[in-house]
Amino acid sequence: MRRIVCVGGGPAGLFTAILARKALPDVEVTVFERNPYDATYGFGVVFSDETLGNIADADPVSFERIEAEFRYWSDLEIRKDGEVTRTTGHGFAAFPRLRLLQILTDRVRELGAEVRFSENVADPTSLDADLVVVADGVNSATRRALADRFVPHVVPGAARYAWFGTEHDFGIFTFLFERTPYGVVQAHCYPYAGGLSTFIIEMSEAAWQAAGLEPDRTFAPGETDPAAKAFAEKVFGDHLGGRELIGNNSQWIRFPEVSAERWWWDRYVIIGDAAHTAHFSIGSGTKLAMEDAIALVDALVSHDGDVASALPAYERDRRPQVESTQRAARTSQAWFESVDRYYDLPRKQFDFQLLTRSQRITLANLRIRDPQSTEDIVDDWRSRQELPAPRPDTPPMFHPYRLKGVTFPNRVGVSPMAQYCAVDGKPTDWHLVHLGSRAVGGAGLVMVEMTCVSPEGRITPGCPGLWNDEQQEAFRPIVEFVHRHTQAVLGMQLGHSGRKGGMRVPWEVGDDELVPVDGEWERLAPSPIPFRKGAPVPTPMTRRHMDEVRDQFAEAAARTATLGFDLLELHMAHGYLLSSFISPLTNQRDDDYGGRLVNRMRFPLEVVDAVREVWPQNLPLSVRISATDWAAGGTSGDDAVEIARMLADHGVDIIDVSTGQVVEHQQPRYGRLWQTPFSDRIRLETGLPTMTVGAVSSIDDVDTVVVAGRADLCLIARPHLVDPYWTLNAAIDVGYAGHPWPPQYLRGKPARRREQDPNQRLIDR
Ligand SMILES: Cc1cc2nc3c(=O)[nH]c(=O)nc-3n(C[C@H](O)[C@H](O)[C@H](O)COP(=O)(O)OP(=O)(O)OC[C@H]3O[C@@H](n4cnc5c(N)ncnc54)[C@H](O)[C@@H]3O)c2cc1C
Ligand SMILES: Cc1cc2nc3c(=O)[nH]c(=O)nc-3n(C[C@H](O)[C@H](O)[C@H](O)COP(=O)(O)O)c2cc1C
């Protein structure tokens, strides 16, 4: 490789130049920056401790110079309608953006590379280089010019924000919240240099419109919207110590979330904001940009400067980390965009929600940062629980929960998981051991897999059913075992497979779970739309079919009650029959059961009504929903709130919030706690209890979710497949002795503890 050109002299382009010159000294490097040396938009940038370490390792010289001018702080203040709370332990460093760029520029030049200011690259294809590093920021013209290669997506945020500076020194990170006649308005403020702070005002689109802030003209780049400044000063004047805000390109913006399906093509690679953005509320944009530079140069070095192999390797290694940060940023962004949802929560819960908003920071993290404030938050949560804690040291996960006449001994549930090994719909000794051992393992709720209300309502011939007496009797030993030997609440999930019915048992057909069985199988659905191209076309349901299926649900529910189950759940998720009525993508009927949501809900609600009549009033009725289809035109988070309200009006007590699996072209965004924001929204907007599910994988996750009020119960599926004793092990791991223990297994406790600490005594209780 002979020459690298960086388009854009922001943190991404400049740090690439530095690292490339260090690692590949024979390669010529040039940075083109359209602005002059001393011009930049924005004020300060914040770095977390972790980022600093990465920069220090990559180029200790740059780091030392930056560090010498850092402003450090560890406290964080939340001022809401005049009330102030403060927490500590949040290690951050801030720095003026202009100084960062100047230090990096000087270092680039010192290492023998060229930075050409005031040079706009109009046509990157004309550049003489073996590698073109596209680092031209969020509005990247190069990304747009090569859009067919990079396939970018730019999604504008739902809120409006404007970025200012101020000569008021906030001293520490400060969040300001004020309720105005137009709605809640917030500001994110942090100091970044002697006497100076960054000040970002943000508000919902509705509040922004109500306040009449839409400008009547377009502002030139660099210009400040005077009305934005005046409004921010009016709302937050009391917090600015008599100082004015300083404008610098300060105009109302909707934060654009940038992503791209491909980061490289030929000799071009997009990095930094040009490739991906992360909402400013997690302060990670500069970090991502500089870490991209580190990863890119590492890839070039490990591929001996061979661009063709280095670029794919760079994207492969870097993408998972970037997407994980973007997920956290998106969750944090959504929190601020929906602040109205949280505004009237008890103050400590509001603070905890705010601090854990990205779902990255957990209760355990906060406990390390600020033990006292965290204990206060947990105590406050405990004081609001209906049931008392068994012991003063009970972790939130082990705090019992009551719903109607049922007491859950803790907040963990075994999510329903199909086992595909029933015989003629009858559960077998496998089910007894499978469900029994998970109940012994301490979960507060054990859900039976989807149990079908009719033979053709089964997903596979191996699915259990509850349409005849033999099946009912086969369930009896399971119910008796769980109730006799454990404190677990036992839940039954009833469902009908609809168009996904009549499939072969997954492990008979490898990875593809939806291979139809040979022979006849009547698959019912609202509309004749197969699950995917080539799959069997289902029969659109007539009123007679609806009556039959409704009665089948009611009969299975009555059998569930006779068996003595504690909780009943109706499966209205994952594209099965009732779910396919709810989604507009699978229900295209033009009668009373299709069209608007209220029509699409009509048949599912008829089923709820019929079931509620036979299911005891004092026992909870749950419904599992797909809160989003993860597909354009499908069910969305807004619909999910409406769906939950309608279900509650018909006597449903708790919503089990899952997502997706409704259409094949879904585009879910997986990750830790990836479905929990939907549960949070339903719970807080409707006041209904919820269960969350989906990559809830640690005690800390459960503690954090319940204390923040994002769900009442946490369902854990796959981890329970390999560890039936998940909850008992959790009790040992956090040293909590208050959880009920099977006496037969008491001696296992110290054995497990000895795995962690060889000095543990062999016998203890
Ligand atoms: C309100 C707000 C607050 C933020 N706060 C923080 C924070 O606290 N911490 C943090 O880490 N990040 C923060 N960020 C994000 C951070 O500013 C960006 O993520 C970061 O600057 C990205 O670096 P970059 O090099 O990719 O792009 P940029 O910094 O945008 O640099 C791109 C450069 O390319 C130049 N350019 C563009 N087109 C051309 C062209 N055709 N020819 C030549 N040059 C060109 C531009 O002039 C610019 O200098 C914040 C962002 C916003 C909007
Ligand atoms: C083997 C298996 C079978 C499943 N069967 C069902 C089921 O019968 N009913 C249901 O609602 N969800 C079912 N699911 C989905 C899980 O209940 C759960 O929602 C999903 O696995 C996400 O949770 P996790 O990340 O903890 O695994 C199944 C999942 C697995 C892995």
Side-chain angles (χ1 to χ4, degrees):
M1 190 167 43
R2 192 179 45 85
R3 186 157 190 247
I4 297 176
V5 165
C6 299
V7 182
L14 293 171
F15 210 43
T16 303
I18 291 170
L19 301 179
R21 283 297 298 163
K22 280 178 53 177
L24 306 161
D26 297 335
V27 176
E28 211 182 293
V29 181
T30 307
V31 179
F32 288 97
E33 167 55 49
R34 66 181 172 192
N35 287 330
Y37 175 71
D38 55 358
T40 185
Y41 297 133
F43 300 88
V45 289
V46 196
F47 293 110
S48 66
D49 290 345
E50 180 205 355
T51 317
L52 298 178
N54 293 338
I55 299 172
D57 291 347
D59 185 35
V61 175
S62 302
F63 177 73
E64 256 173 45
R65 294 173 189 172
I66 297 169
E67 194 193 22
E69 297 183 37
F70 263 147
R71 182 85 191 262
Y72 283 100
W73 72 84
S74 67
D75 282 12
L76 185 155
E77 202 162 272
I78 304 168
R79 302 186 198 165
K80 178 168 172 275
D81 295 332
E83 201 189 323
V84 180
T85 48
R86 191 182 261 242
T87 64
T88 193
H90 315 277
F92 276 109
F95 194 67
R97 176 172 155 99
L98 182 57
R99 280 299 295 144
L100 174 68
L101 297 182
Q102 288 171 340
I103 288 173
L104 294 179
T105 302
D106 294 349
R107 177 80 178 130
V108 173
R109 288 177 164 161
E110 195 177 290
L111 288 164
E114 198 184 6
V115 187
R116 288 165 60 173
F117 284 101
S118 305
E119 282 201 39
N120 182 60
V121 176
D123 176 13
T125 57
S126 65
L127 293 169
D128 169 25
D130 305 294
L131 171 64
V132 178
V133 178
V134 179
D136 51 356
V138 61
N139 296 316
S140 169
T142 316
R143 183 187 67 220
R144 270 201 308 278
L146 296 174
D148 54 337
R149 304 296 176 174
F150 297 130
V151 197
H153 301 282
V154 181
V155 182
R160 299 277 175 168
Y161 78 92
W163 185 344
F164 293 93
T166 170
E167 285 179 359
H168 176 68
D169 189 342
F170 276 91
I172 55 169
F173 207 116
T174 308
F175 286 113
L176 310 176
F177 296 91
E178 292 289 342
R179 201 194 294 269
T180 71
Y182 322 108
V184 175
V185 183
Q186 56 218 346
H188 313 236
C189 321
Y190 53 87
Y192 67 91
L196 292 169
S197 302
T198 295
F199 180 102
I200 305 165
I201 178 172
E202 191 186 17
M203 61 206 293
S204 70
E205 175 76 17
W208 185 78
Q209 292 285 353
L213 291 167
E214 188 158 359
D216 48 18
R217 68 180 178 90
T218 326
F219 297 100
E223 222 186 325
T224 286
D225 175 349
K229 178 171 174 293
F231 181 81
E233 284 168 349
K234 187 167 151 228
V235 174
F236 294 111
D238 289 350
H239 301 277
L240 290 171
R243 308 281 183 167
E244 282 194 20
L245 292 176
I246 306 164
N248 178 358
N249 200 34
S250 310
Q251 304 167 14
W252 293 113
I253 311 173
R254 289 169 66 184
F255 187 86
E257 192 202 32
V258 174
S259 59
E261 290 180 22
R262 212 168 163 204
W263 289 349
W264 64 274
W265 170 68
D266 192 43
R267 60 182 181 140
Y268 304 90
V269 59
I270 44 173
I271 69 167
D273 271 12
H276 46 70
T277 54
H279 191 249
F280 55 83
S281 59
I282 67 161
S284 289
T286 309
K287 159 198 160 78
L288 285 181
M290 294 177 80
E291 288 175 356
D292 280 359
I294 297 171
L296 176 62
V297 174
D298 280 352
L300 288 169
V301 171
S302 53
H303 289 81
D304 295 327
D306 176 41
V307 172
S309 59
L311 297 189
Y314 161 71
E315 176 165 351
R316 202 175 43 246
D317 291 350
R318 183 76 183 126
R319 192 176 268 283
Q321 293 166 50
V322 167
E323 289 186 348
S324 161
T325 305
Q326 281 194 300
R327 252 194 322 274
R330 193 180 306 118
T331 312
S332 172
Q333 174 177 354
W335 194 93
F336 285 107
E337 290 174 353
S338 322
V339 69
D340 289 295
R341 184 185 308 150
Y342 308 103
Y343 213 69
D344 293 322
L345 291 176
R347 180 56 195 265
K348 287 201 161 48
Q349 188 184 354
F350 176 87
D351 289 355
F352 187 67
Q353 270 273 355
L354 172 63
L355 296 170
T356 60
R357 66 190 179 276
S358 72
Q359 297 199 138
R360 275 216 169 158
I361 293 176
T362 63
L363 187 74
N365 299 147
L366 284 182
R367 215 172 240 136
I368 295 167
R369 293 170 188 217
D370 187 345
Q372 189 52 54
S373 304
T374 312
E375 248 7 88
D376 292 348
I377 287 169
V378 175
D379 284 347
D380 173 70
W381 176 82
R382 282 197 190 106
S383 72
R384 287 184 280 107
Q385 301 311 298
E386 184 190 341
L387 297 177
R391 297 159 52 124
D393 66 340
T394 303
M397 179 178 125
F398 293 100
H399 200 112
Y401 175 67
R402 179 150 49 214
L403 186 61
K404 289 210 151 163
V406 171
T407 299
F408 301 76
N410 57 60
R411 304 308 180 103
V412 177
V414 178
S415 199
M417 277 181 288
Q419 300 295 296
Y420 308 112
C421 58
V423 177
D424 297 329
K426 287 180 297 212
T428 65
D429 49 1
W430 175 267
H431 296 85
L432 174 66
V433 173
H434 166 69
L435 296 164
S437 55
R438 274 136 198 93
V440 171
L445 166 67
V446 175
M447 290 296 306
V448 174
E449 68 196 86
M450 175 163 129
T451 298
C452 307
V453 298
S454 65
E456 63 284 348
R458 290 174 297 169
I459 309 166
T460 71
C463 289
L466 199 42
W467 65 82
N468 66 33
D469 292 347
E470 291 77 49
Q471 292 157 348
Q472 186 174 321
E473 281 319 298
F475 270 109
R476 195 172 296 283
I478 297 170
V479 181
E480 285 176 359
F481 177 88
V482 171
H483 285 161
R484 188 177 314 128
H485 296 291
T486 79
Q487 295 190 7
V489 169
L490 186 62
M492 165 60 81
Q493 186 186 57
L494 291 179
H496 187 299
S497 54
R499 67 187 184 145
K500 285 174 143 182
M503 300 295 151
R504 291 178 61 189
V505 167
W507 51 80
E508 285 175 2
V509 289
D511 274 349
D512 191 344
E513 291 199 3
L514 291 173
V515 177
V517 290
D518 297 333
E520 290 293 298
W521 193 292
E522 186 178 40
R523 298 174 182 87
L524 297 176
S527 306
I529 306 170
F531 175 67
R532 63 170 170 230
K533 222 168 156 220
V537 179
T539 310
M541 285 172 77
T542 61
R543 185 60 247 185
R544 182 182 59 77
H545 286 123
M546 291 186 211
D547 291 346
E548 271 171 24
V549 171
R550 180 201 59 211
D551 294 348
Q552 288 162 352
F553 267 98
E555 188 193 328
R559 290 181 185 279
T560 306
T562 306
L563 279 163
F565 275 86
D566 310 300
L567 174 146
L568 173 59
E569 174 165 286
L570 301 180
H571 199 338
M572 296 198 188
H574 302 169
Y576 297 117
L577 183 68
L578 298 178
S579 157
S580 61
F581 266 88
I582 299 173
S583 168
L585 299 177
T586 47
N587 178 347
Q588 294 179 357
R589 298 175 75 100
D590 53 14
D591 60 4
D592 288 350
Y593 300 91
R596 292 179 307 138
L597 179 61
V598 60
N599 281 0
R600 302 196 308 272
M601 284 298 289
R602 199 180 299 276
F603 178 59
L605 291 174
E606 281 180 16
V607 171
V608 171
D609 291 342
V611 163
R612 192 70 267 190
E613 263 194 32
V614 296
W615 181 245
Q617 282 305 325
N618 66 329
L619 296 182
L621 178 61
S622 165
V623 168
R624 174 169 275 204
I625 60 168
S626 284
T628 174
D629 291 342
W630 299 111
T635 301
S636 67
D638 290 345
D639 299 324
V641 172
E642 270 320 293
I643 292 166
R645 285 206 178 100
M646 290 184 203
L647 292 168
D649 286 346
H650 287 254
V652 170
D653 303 297
I654 185 164
I655 309 293
D656 176 356
V657 188
S658 186
T659 67
Q661 299 177 50
V662 174
V663 287
E664 201 194 6
H665 62 276
Q666 65 170 1
Q667 294 207 300
R669 287 169 168 166
Y670 298 116
R672 213 178 110 249
L673 300 172
W674 60 293
Q675 299 179 139
T676 301
F678 297 93
S679 164
D680 173 90
R681 178 163 183 199
I682 290 173
R683 186 174 186 274
L684 296 178
E685 289 190 14
T686 66
L688 272 170
T690 61
M691 306 190 222
T692 186
V693 65
V696 183
S697 45
S698 66
I699 311 157
D700 194 21
D701 281 348
V702 179
D703 281 349
T704 309
V705 164
V706 296
V707 172
R710 299 191 171 105
D712 298 280
L713 298 167
C714 292
L715 298 183
I716 296 173
R718 288 162 296 174
H720 269 123
L721 289 180
V722 290
D723 183 2
Y725 304 112
W726 197 90
T727 304
L728 293 188
N729 283 328
I732 294 173
D733 293 349
V734 293
Y736 177 60
H739 192 264
W741 211 267
Q744 299 89 331
Y745 286 1
L746 269 174
R747 293 199 173 194
K749 264 196 200 185
R752 162 88 175 192
R753 282 212 296 273
R754 254 194 1 273
E755 284 170 14
Q756 298 153 350
D757 173 5
N759 298 322
Q760 276 293 328
R761 286 188 310 133
L762 250 177
I763 298 179
D764 85 0
R765 292 186 178 242

